[in-house]
């Protein structure tokens, strides 16, 4: 039986990856700070050796926008090397090398750490998940008007479809950097916000706002998009129709 450690197993993506791998017969260990079985803070690495012992594959989904992903990856890679784990799968984001956002720069650095880790590796970059877009517009819609960054488009993808892909990759051998995975449609954020308002029956004026800074300029140039890899099938509207049956 294949033993797989999924980091970030309490998160949006990691929980679905763990479910899929279990249903495909793998022995899955779920790690995160709040995990009931492998409660590890990757930023200090305590408890990691026990978590990686005897593991065939690590799927690294743990991450935080609050900083420290490179430090966390360093501890994980060291532990993987000590235990002789032959395959590390890393989930990254389309445009980490094109949009100069602090979080993206760190993820790009982690990609290079994985590539140089000396262990077998696979890196999958995807576009933003529908869940993230929903969270962003839900937050913005709490205001009397709904502000969105002007001129920015996204190509959101279903996190369940990404989980399917990661499970496939985990069960194959190391594949290096695999083709990007994008959602089925490129749409302006203002349009995505409109879809959210229609689906929820809320009424707000959508206000495009121009922002300063290099990261915003990178998003406006479309560095986060991958139209040639529009392989996801679930649209944002379809995702909303399913998701809004449950409380947001
Ligand atoms: N969201 C998107 O649109 C998107 C798009 C492309 C790629 N990705 C990538 O996909 C991955 C997963 O994203 P997600 O949206 O599923 O994230 P998420 O829902 O925020 O989950 C993050 C997970 O990481 C764990 N975690 C955070 N800090 C940790 C630490 N110091 N030690 C151990 N575990 C830690 C969290 O659990 P605890 O709080 O219990 O520790 C949680 O399980 C990330 O690498 C992200 O960059 C996301």
């Amino acid at each position: 039986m294949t033993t797989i450690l999924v980091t970030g197993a309490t998160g949006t993506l990691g929980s679905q990856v763990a479910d899929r791998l279990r249903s495909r017969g793998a022995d899955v260990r779920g790690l995160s700070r709040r995990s009931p079985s492998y409660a590890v803070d990757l930023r200090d690495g305590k408890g990691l050796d026990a978590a990686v012992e005897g593991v065939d594959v690590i799927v690294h989904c743990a991450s935080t926008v609050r900083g420290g992903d490179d430090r966390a990856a360093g501890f994980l890679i060291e532990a993987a090397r000590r235990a002789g784990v032959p395959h590390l799968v890393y989930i990254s984001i389309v445009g980490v090398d094109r949009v100069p956002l602090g979080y993206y720069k760190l993820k790009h650095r982690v990609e290079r750490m994985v590539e140089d880790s000396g262990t077998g590796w696979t890196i999958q970059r995807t576009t933003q998940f529908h869940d993230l877009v929903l969270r962003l517009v839900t937050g913005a819609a709490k205001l009397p008007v709904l502000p969105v960054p002007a001129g920015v488009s996204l190509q959101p993808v279903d996190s369940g479809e990404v989980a399917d892909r990661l499970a496939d990759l985990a069960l194959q051998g190391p594949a290096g950097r695999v083709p990007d995975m994008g959602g089925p449609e490129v749409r302006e954020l203002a349009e995505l916000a409109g879809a959210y308002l229609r689906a929820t029956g809320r009424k707000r004026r959508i206000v495009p706002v121009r922002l300063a800074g290099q990261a915003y300029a990178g998003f406006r140039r479309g560095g986060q998009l991958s139209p040639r890899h529009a392989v996801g099938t679930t649209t944002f509207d379809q995702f909303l129709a399913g998701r809004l049956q449950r409380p947001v």
Side-chain angles (χ1 to χ4, degrees):
M1 187 190 274
T2 310
T3 301
I4 303 181
L5 176 70
V6 178
T7 74
T10 52
T12 303
L13 179 63
S15 58
Q16 297 180 86
V17 172
D19 285 349
R20 278 151 175 77
L21 288 169
R22 279 193 190 103
S23 71
R24 289 170 70 172
D27 171 25
V28 177
R29 300 177 186 173
L31 178 153
S32 83
R33 289 166 301 188
R34 291 171 292 134
S35 161
S37 44
Y38 291 92
V40 173
D41 186 337
L42 285 170
R43 289 167 309 180
D44 67 29
K46 285 197 194 93
L48 254 181
D49 283 327
V52 299
E53 178 69 37
V55 159
D56 301 298
V57 187
I58 298 172
V59 185
H60 184 32
C61 299
S63 178
T64 171
V65 291
R66 296 201 176 86
D69 272 10
D70 50 348
R71 187 175 163 77
F75 284 122
L76 186 66
I77 288 167
E78 279 307 314
R81 272 208 209 109
R82 279 194 298 275
V85 177
H87 188 194
L88 174 58
V89 180
Y90 181 55
I91 173 76
S92 188
I93 307 175
V94 168
V96 286
D97 48 352
R98 293 194 294 245
V99 179
L101 192 68
Y103 178 61
Y104 282 20
K105 288 185 194 165
L106 265 193
K107 288 208 63 105
H108 193 212
R109 186 181 306 163
V110 173
E111 285 188 356
R112 292 195 300 264
M113 292 168 72
V114 170
E115 289 165 8
D116 296 341
S117 64
T119 187
W121 57 272
T122 302
I123 294 177
Q124 172 73 68
R125 289 184 182 176
T126 78
T127 53
Q128 283 66 41
F129 304 159
H130 292 317
D131 316 75
L132 175 67
V133 178
L134 175 59
R135 242 185 353 260
L136 292 176
V137 292
T138 302
K142 294 200 162 75
L143 301 168
V145 294
L146 199 165
V148 292
V152 172
S153 293
L154 294 179
Q155 188 185 346
V157 67
D158 189 82
S159 57
E161 294 180 22
V162 175
D164 288 334
R165 169 75 74 93
L166 283 193
D168 288 345
L169 292 170
L171 294 170
Q172 296 161 11
R177 170 90 186 278
V178 297
D180 292 348
M181 178 174 188
E185 306 173 315
V186 174
R187 297 175 77 185
E188 280 224 13
L189 253 171
E191 281 176 51
L192 293 165
Y196 165 81
L197 292 176
R198 279 192 301 282
T200 55
R202 279 172 215 186
K203 299 223 181 307
R204 292 281 185 287
R205 191 161 62 86
I206 297 169
V207 181
V209 181
R210 290 187 74 87
L211 303 170
Q214 291 299 314
Y216 173 60
F219 280 120
R220 274 177 65 94
R221 280 194 299 271
Q224 71 284 13
L225 305 175
S226 186
R228 288 192 302 118
H229 297 105
V231 292
T233 59
T234 306
T235 64
F236 186 60
D237 296 74
Q238 289 167 337
F239 161 81
L240 283 177
R243 182 67 178 80
L244 292 173
Q245 287 166 5
R246 293 179 273 139
V248 178

